[in-house]
Amino acid sequence: MFIIRTAILWIIISTMINAYLMTFPVPVLRKRGYPANYLIKRNNRIDIQNNRECAGFSTAYVLRHFGIEADGEALYSSFPSKMRSGNVYPKGIRTVLRKKGLKTSYFKGTIDTLKYEVSKGTPVIVFIKVHKDFNNLHFVPVVGYDEQFVYLSESLRQLVNCNDANNSYNRKVTIKEFKKLWNVKNIYMPLYSNTYITVEPLS
């Protein structure tokens, strides 16, 4: 009984800390209609990071989508919600985008809800593992999908696996593989699998 109580207490404390540091993702389960295939084709460049600046680079990519010139490395240098390791909580991305005049939402959903958001025409920043068998985490914009693949604007050079002439994406991942990468759940973050940040103008 003591062990069960301790485990429950640990989950409650972890959830409260994460909600403060990361903001709490809003669950979305409802399946909505969306095209079978979709790719955001707005002109944008894909920059490559050198260290752990994926939060800065994914945020800069989204800013450029909205016509706001941004450099990932420069943005990352003054990023809020940064850990000693250099990693950044999702809250930091939302704070930077809000300061640039954009509205963000943080959701916990499914492949269907993610596809629906991408089909609106704006890159969606997902929170995934760098590799499915390791716990290193990574932010990257999703810019398209079809029935087999998710298409990403990848800032980690070693993960780039294709070259699109329109510069819309440089990495594609099978949906099966993406689901494994998207499962970031661990004892410290029990509620943060399948999460993503959506962005839109404040209007």
Side-chain angles (χ1 to χ4, degrees), residues 73-180:
E73 195 168 346
L75 208 58
Y76 174 81
S77 65
S78 58
F79 229 79
S81 301
K82 193 186 296 182
M83 298 176 246
R84 289 184 182 178
S85 64
N87 295 327
V88 173
Y89 294 109
K91 185 177 181 179
I93 291 177
R94 300 187 67 191
T95 299
V96 171
L97 290 169
R98 187 172 63 249
K99 286 181 177 178
K100 296 291 185 178
L102 298 169
K103 178 185 176 182
T104 69
S105 299
Y106 189 31
F107 294 117
K108 178 181 177 67
T110 64
I111 286 291
D112 289 319
T113 63
L114 176 62
K115 285 182 175 182
Y116 170 75
E117 291 296 340
V118 174
S119 73
K120 292 179 179 179
T122 299
V124 175
I125 299 175
V126 291
F127 191 31
I128 61 174
K129 295 177 182 177
V130 176
H131 299 287
K132 63 181 180 181
D133 298 322
F134 298 95
N135 287 326
N136 293 350
L137 301 178
H138 183 45
F139 294 109
V140 62
V142 177
V143 295
Y145 63 84
D146 55 31
E147 293 182 357
Q148 288 184 288
F149 295 98
V150 173
Y151 297 89
L152 310 172
S153 293
E154 181 57 67
S155 59
L156 279 172
R157 189 180 304 278
Q158 67 268 30
L159 299 179
V160 172
N161 63 9
C162 56
N163 181 29
D164 172 46
N166 294 320
N167 296 322
S168 295
Y169 66 93
N170 59 356
R171 180 185 179 194
K172 63 180 183 178
V173 183
T174 65
I175 289 175
K176 182 179 179 181
E177 184 72 10
F178 181 80
K179 286 179 178 179
K180 294 176 183 176

Side-chain angles (χ1 to χ4, degrees), residues 15 33 40 46 49 64 66 72 80 83 92 107 112 120 129 139 144 155 178 183 185 195:
T15 301
I40 297 167
I46 305 174
Q49 67 187 76
R64 292 194 298 270
F66 284 99
M83 298 176 246
F107 294 117
D112 289 319
K120 292 179 179 179
K129 295 177 182 177
F139 294 109
S155 59
F178 181 80
N183 181 15
K185 179 173 55 184
T195 62

Side-chain angles (χ1 to χ4, degrees), residues 185-202:
K185 179 173 55 184
N186 61 44
I187 190 170
Y188 302 106
M189 297 192 313
L191 303 176
Y192 287 83
S193 289
N194 300 4
T195 62
Y196 53 91
I197 298 170
T198 64
V199 189
E200 58 185 312
L202 271 175

